[in-house]
Amino acid sequence: NGILHVVFIRYRRRQAKQVWLARLEDPYREVLLSYANSTSSEGNWLPFEYAGQLYVSYKLCPHRVLAVNVTTGICTLAYETNRIGCNLRERGSASGMGQLLGENALGLGHFKRYAHYRHFFFERASEPPFPILRASDEFRFPTPFEDNVLQPLRKSGQALPSTISDKHIQFALSLRRSPLQSGTVLAPPTAVHAAPVTEDGNTRSGCAGRDFGDLVADVGAADLMGFTTRIERGTFCSFTGWCECGLNATYGSALSPALPGRPSLSRPAVSHEPSPLHSVVAAGREPSPLHSVLAA
């Protein structure tokens, strides 16, 4: 309805969280979100809007979508869809952006494995019942807290628990477009296929060009520090292989950064220990980080 709201978490006690909705326009108010099948501790709800109705992705596997009454806070089941091969441990991180992958939304999810957080991109349909169409390989974000703060302290002899590290705990809170840098040249949308064909043989529509730069994610590190990281558009396209429209439709097929000495982009090798999004140097096969930390 055009009124700005925000979904946030409030702790009742340790390990017991509640999800709240705040109206950010006059009259300002907060309301507790309630769902009949909720657990004793809730979080990771991803809000999005469609046709004037506020929804939240309550779970990603299966994808359970709740309709939110912004006045009472009561949430009711609206849609539920299943994605083949999804992981029951998948949780939401960032609702993300619409109209990046054609008309669909791009978001971020996460899960924990061996006490380490892993993230993944997902594509959600923009029309009801809002199925999650696909998910990327897992990855980790950079670790500036461990590298710049904790390692010097450990080297100085201070005893710190190994679990206090963004190598273990890192949580993406948002995903958005980075503003275009001055001088960026966009390839005309007609330079790519207007209607690529998907694996199931269907035509993927809505692949008009979008004027945006790289992706930007806000990440919590070890629950103690926040940082912002940029994911270059070439890295995203190479990592996911999803740029048959959206980013490719904007920038054409030449997605590798045109910088002297910059290696070509490729997807990381399959590993049980996913590394941050990176490129691989063809000769030495040594990973070279492609992120830039914008703020700390």
Side-chain angles (χ1 to χ4, degrees), residues 60 63 83 95 97 99-109 120-126 130-136 198 204-205 207 236 240-246:
L60 296 185
H63 188 213
R83 187 181 87 251
S95 298
M97 306 158 292
Q99 298 185 335
L100 179 63
L101 299 169
E103 296 300 320
N104 296 329
L106 173 69
L108 276 171
F120 59 90
F121 296 104
F122 66 83
E123 179 183 359
R124 174 179 54 78
S126 60
F130 310 112
I132 293 179
L133 304 175
R134 53 185 172 179
S136 76
T198 60
R204 184 180 294 279
S205 60
C207 290
F236 170 82
T240 63
W242 292 356
C243 293
E244 65 269 24
C245 60

Side-chain angles (χ1 to χ4, degrees), residues 169-194:
I169 302 174
Q170 50 177 228
F171 183 81
L173 299 171
S174 71
L175 181 68
R176 62 188 187 276
R177 300 178 179 93
S178 173
L180 283 173
Q181 298 178 355
S182 60
T184 300
V185 178
L186 300 180
T190 54
V192 297
H193 297 292

Side-chain angles (χ1 to χ4, degrees), residues 194-223:
V197 177
T198 60
E199 293 180 358
D200 58 10
N202 296 321
T203 298
R204 184 180 294 279
S205 60
C207 290
R210 310 293 178 188
D211 290 343
F212 54 86
D214 301 331
L215 303 178
V216 174
D218 298 308
V219 183
D223 291 336

